Amino acid sequence: MRIVEQIAHPQCQITVYAWNGKYLLKFEQPMLEQTYKVSEMDLTGPDEVKSLLNEAFIARVLRRFDEMRADWQQNLSDVS
């Protein structure tokens, strides 16, 4: 797996990888991560990957992090 680019964002770390004919878009916050895969054949090149990372999509990713965190906290409460 090769790192193509790391993209600065104030609320999460975004890393683009190239691996096995795909681009992996990995979003990370402490203790959580989300990964999205797109075939290299569906894009003209690595520069097009950044066009997928528009404001609306990143907002949904951040909301999903909130949901994931809430689900995990609920799960921990249920086990205790």
Side-chain angles (χ1 to χ4, degrees), residues 32-45:
L32 299 170
E33 65 181 51
Q34 299 176 52
T35 303
Y36 298 85
K37 299 176 185 178
V38 61
S39 173
E40 288 180 357
M41 308 233 351
D42 292 339
L43 303 173
T44 58

Side-chain angles (χ1 to χ4, degrees), residues 2-65:
R2 174 178 65 87
I3 294 176
V4 174
E5 186 169 3
Q6 292 187 318
I7 301 166
H9 190 277
Q11 293 176 283
C12 64
Q13 172 65 40
I14 304 170
T15 309
V16 179
Y17 296 93
W19 180 70
N20 203 23
K22 297 177 184 70
Y23 291 110
L24 283 68
L25 294 81
K26 185 173 182 179
F27 298 81
E28 297 177 83
Q29 284 187 342
M31 303 301 291
L32 299 170
E33 65 181 51
Q34 299 176 52
T35 303
Y36 298 85
K37 299 176 185 178
V38 61
S39 173
E40 288 180 357
M41 308 233 351
D42 292 339
L43 303 173
T44 58
D47 291 336
E48 193 175 0
V49 173
K50 285 183 83 170
S51 71
L52 300 173
L53 302 175
N54 60 53
E55 222 174 281
F57 178 70
I58 293 174
R60 289 191 300 272
V61 167
L62 294 173
R63 270 196 306 274
R64 196 163 294 113
F65 273 130

